[in-house]
Amino acid sequence: QVHLVESGGGVVQPGRSLRLSCAASGFFFDTYRMNWVRQAPGKGVEWVAVIWSDGSNKYYADSVKGRFTISRDNSKNKLYLQMDSLRAEDTAVYYCARGDDFLAFDYWGQGTLVTVSS
Amino acid sequence: EIVLTQSPGTLSLSPGERATLSCRASQSVSSGYLAWYQQRPGQAPELLIYATSSRATGIPDRFSGSGSGTDFTLTISRLEPEDFAVYYCQHYVSSPPYSFGQGTKLEIK
């Protein structure tokens, strides 16, 4: 059974950093692309970043490019999102989601809330 | 980047009725890589439909997807109480970004 569990959210001041983690289980983690998707309070979902199965390629939404870094550790079945220079508009629930070229984002975690506020 | 526009923003219907949700792309969606997700309050989105018309595992057959090019539709044939939620369409291909529509809220009339 596929299971994705995010952690690391919390309250952080503008300009500071935070690192999110996503623990994966129940599938061959090293064969899937992994994504971060976020949802600001009361708003729609926004794709944030993707990393290829072997970590060879990474892509970002323009809104986070240069500030966020996606990474993974296939030996630990973990996905990460390093968020630097945080802004109030980064406040959101952050989800990790398994990606597939054909099956889209077929599994999602329950999300972790990041609040950027002074 | 492909921009997805969903309509209507809110749809008010009664249980048992048929729901038709629209998703229009700013340019042609290659190879039909269009997905639909359902999000209930307080929950993560759940994949309903992928590749325009294929139902994800465990999704009831009252949900169906159709379309091509720039116009796509999610149809719920007979609404059940648990279907009242927010629905998002998404364009996904090998090359990001993976854009989502702004969502359609399906509410009980």
Side-chain angles (χ1 to χ4, degrees):
Chain A
Q1 183 179 2
V2 174
H3 209 45
L4 299 170
V5 180
E6 302 92 339
S7 60
V11 180
V12 61
Q13 293 180 327
R16 303 298 290 267
S17 299
L18 203 61
R19 187 196 197 202
L20 306 183
S21 299
C22 170
S25 60
F27 66 102
F28 293 107
F29 182 72
D30 59 1
T31 64
Y32 284 88
R33 296 176 191 173
M34 295 297 298
N35 297 270
W36 287 100
V37 179
R38 68 183 181 182
Q39 186 170 35
K43 303 296 185 183
V45 295
E46 177 190 17
W47 172 78
V48 172
V50 63
I51 185 169
W52 261 221
S53 58
D54 61 357
S56 59
N57 287 299
K58 305 174 186 180
Y59 296 92
Y60 301 90
D62 286 344
S63 57
V64 306
K65 202 173 294 181
R67 299 187 300 121
F68 289 12
T69 303
I70 189 171
S71 62
R72 64 192 297 160
D73 186 337
N74 285 346
S75 68
K76 297 181 179 179
N77 287 356
K78 282 202 165 181
L79 174 73
Y80 303 100
L81 186 67
Q82 177 67 40
M83 303 185 295
D84 298 324
S85 303
L86 282 162
R87 306 167 180 168
E89 54 265 34
D90 296 318
T91 294
V93 174
Y94 285 75
Y95 299 99
C96 62
R98 191 177 84 168
D100 185 278
D101 266 358
F102 187 61
L103 298 175
F105 293 9
D106 57 350
Y107 287 94
W108 298 60
Q110 85 291 346
T112 187
L113 176 62
V114 173
T115 302
V116 183
S117 173
S118 54
Chain B
E1 178 182 347
I2 292 180
V3 176
L4 299 177
T5 303
Q6 294 185 239
S7 61
T10 301
L11 184 59
S12 300
L13 293 170
S14 300
E17 290 191 295
R18 180 185 186 92
T20 303
L21 286 66
S22 174
C23 177
R24 177 162 290 178
S26 58
Q27 54 187 283
S28 184
V29 172
S30 59
S31 305
Y33 286 118
L34 194 287
W36 291 92
Y37 300 84
Q38 177 192 68
Q39 187 178 34
R40 298 187 177 111
Q43 296 186 18
E46 177 186 9
L47 178 66
L48 294 176
I49 301 287
Y50 61 92
T52 300
S53 59
S54 298
R55 275 188 301 277
T57 303
I59 300 304
D61 60 7
R62 65 179 181 272
F63 290 90
S64 63
S66 62
S68 65
T70 60
D71 290 302
F72 297 86
T73 300
L74 174 70
T75 301
I76 311 172
S77 58
R78 296 172 309 279
L79 286 166
E80 297 287 342
E82 62 268 26
D83 299 337
F84 292 92
V86 179
Y87 293 83
Y88 296 96
C89 60
Q90 182 206 22
H91 170 56
Y92 63 101
V93 285
S94 296
S95 300
Y98 304 131
S99 49
F100 287 91
Q102 83 279 16
T104 289
K105 181 180 181 181
L106 179 55
E107 65 176 23
I108 299 177
K109 187 174 182 180

